[in-house]
Amino acid sequence: MKKKIMMLLLTACLGLGTAGVHAAESAGSTDQGSGSRSLKEAFNELAIIPSNYQGKAFMQGQKTDIGGDYEVVQRNGRVLVPIRLMGYLAEHTTGADQGYWDVVWNAKTPDDVLLQNLPLKRTVKFTVNSTTMLVNGKSVKLDVPPQKIGGRVMLPLRDAATALGKQIAWLDGLILIGDTSVDLKHPDTLAVKNAIKTQLTDQRNRVDYEKVATPLTQLGTDVYYLKTVYLNNGASVEEQLFRQTGSNKATRVQVPGKPVFHSGKRIGDIFYYVSTVSNQAYLFAYDLKKQQPEKVASLGDWRPEDGWLTEVRKLDNELLVNLHVGDLTMGGDMLYRVKNGALEEVLSAKSLTSVTADQEALYSTDFRFMTEMANNLSRLDLTTGETALLGEPGYAYGVARSVEENGGVGFRSDSTLVLKDGALYAIGFNDSDPQDPNSVYRIDTTGRKHVKLVSGASQFWLTGKQLYYLEESSGRLMRTALNGGETPAAMSSQRISQLQMYENVFYYTSVGDKGMELFRLDPTTGQEKKLAALTPGATADTTFEVNKSGVYYVNRGYEPGIYHISSDGKERRLSKDTVDQSVLTDSGMIYTLVYKEGVYSVK
């Protein structure tokens, strides 16, 4: 067995989950004041486990349920933990900048476990019942030897810490693990420890998978969700749609055929989905106001088992349907328009990233992640049906490229393709030049020409005669003239983690001295305003959503729930339990919980 892990110590510490920690273990606890941070400040950088471990941990500020019936034991005042548990936990911890640890176990030498980190050029070898471990080939004495218990090799926590040089602290039944030194006597540490302990000693189990509901959408007080029913001992599934109005009992919505709701798309008050009726697949439209379904078009030879419904959208009063065929790797997209109750083929693509149109033509980008990236922007003449490539030869558009320090190259699609004043605007790069940065281009709609407007952009927006973009190097929101005729100016004072535009106003988060903070910037005035500091547990990966009433975000830390921030910066905690799934609609947020059945809504 070989598993990639990072920060092995974090995993090992989970073994403190049996009886109370022995004095011999806790004697080495870190209790520093000078140079240390409070638990509140360091929360998102630690792994936190309770001494009476019950399958729950905080990893990178997120509450996590650990699967598996793992046994942890104490021998001679020292804690021993299984290597499989190590592997799982360490994959979800911080420390990626220090490389990965490999846990190597060979059935031919079952008493040996090798831990190795190639970037750090460090190896640690444990042997069952041996009081010596080898760190880079040098012998190091162990207080307690690894043991084989219940058929599993168990490693000693304290010695794993010594081998990897990590810090451990014990705090009133909590075990704190990581590279960060925590001031255990800081008032902010003492203020949050009970809230953390409450979450980690929660004895509730996750909602059984057969009872999990998936929120779909909401209109007024009507909440719609689906449940998956497993038939024939799990050999087949059936998706059932339910409507719940206020506090009334949910009722099942009966629709024709065998529907597939999870890939449905909402446009206005209409929810589009696919259903198979008498072996023929159709696109249906469920009117959320009238509460009734209507058949829109036959899907021809396509079947739900062939792929999935990727997109439904309206473009110049035409309904466009994107159907995927095959798997994600080898399959592809086919774009159709609905004509007289049937589908009319428009174009095909590997992965259709974006589509826009005028009265004469349809413009699209194709994310061909399995083959050539370049030459992927095309124009389809709606009168003749002829297709032509646009943009400079050798350039990829609607795609952003990243180059890692180790030389690896990654790509992501960018769906922003803007048609304005007879020109197209998109992010792109020269595919033949590995050093060419992602830039915003103005592209001719009739030929193979473009003009670079700004360089080093990861996202962009057009507002009036201004071009706004997120600069990759600084992480700041920048502004320049749409014609590229002025020096870019920084609009944000902070490095941005996530950014959205809603009704021509920017909202973004940034990591500040007090953790994650939310800002608002109005392009018409250029004024930046800090709205609120997000609750502890919010990280750079915490997503937020915006509608007309304000900003919503989900916290999965020690103060879990859904939070709302109004335009004046006032924050409200709308729910106080760990959220599983959530969907923001114009009527509010609908969501499900990890440990409690049902679908809920808040405004």
Side-chain angles (χ1 to χ4, degrees), residues 169-246:
W170 280 264
L171 175 65
D172 192 19
L174 295 175
I175 301 96
L176 319 177
I177 316 102
D179 294 324
T180 298
S181 176
V182 178
D183 183 349
L184 302 182
K185 297 180 180 180
H186 194 288
D188 285 346
T189 296
L190 302 178
V192 302
K193 68 179 179 66
N194 287 337
I196 295 174
K197 188 185 299 185
T198 297
Q199 292 298 320
L200 295 183
T201 55
D202 185 351
Q203 298 185 28
R204 294 179 298 171
N205 296 320
R206 297 183 68 94
V207 174
D208 186 86
Y209 75 96
E210 292 188 346
K211 297 180 180 180
V212 169
T214 301
L216 292 177
T217 192
Q218 179 181 20
L219 182 67
T221 59
D222 291 335
V223 172
Y224 291 85
Y225 64 92
L226 74 86
K227 281 193 172 182
T228 302
V229 178
Y230 297 86
L231 307 173
N232 304 321
N233 295 323
S236 61
V237 297
E238 176 182 275
E239 292 188 357
Q240 298 177 354
L241 181 65
F242 291 84
R243 180 178 61 251
Q244 180 174 316
T245 303

Side-chain angles (χ1 to χ4, degrees), residues 331-404:
D333 288 338
M334 184 68 73
L335 184 68
Y336 303 88
R337 53 187 168 191
V338 176
K339 290 288 187 181
N340 302 319
L343 297 186
E344 180 181 286
E345 183 177 329
V346 177
L347 58 86
S348 62
K350 173 62 182 177
S351 180
L352 194 60
T353 303
S354 55
V355 177
T356 189
D358 54 25
Q359 294 182 344
E360 299 179 351
L362 184 146
Y363 307 92
S364 63
T365 55
D366 184 3
F367 182 35
R368 299 192 294 262
F369 54 88
M370 295 293 292
T371 55
E372 180 191 24
M373 287 286 180
N375 305 309
N376 65 330
L377 173 61
S378 62
R379 177 185 189 273
L380 173 66
D381 190 306
L382 296 177
T383 302
T384 65
E386 295 181 355
T387 301
L389 293 177
L390 299 179
E392 295 280 352
Y395 279 75
Y397 303 98
V399 183
R401 177 175 60 186
S402 61
V403 180
E404 308 298 334

Side-chain angles (χ1 to χ4, degrees), residues 4 15 79 86 180 274 460 488 500 574 595:
K4 264 191 171 182
V79 176
M86 290 184 188
T180 298
V274 169
F460 78 97
Q500 291 188 33
L574 303 180
Y595 306 111

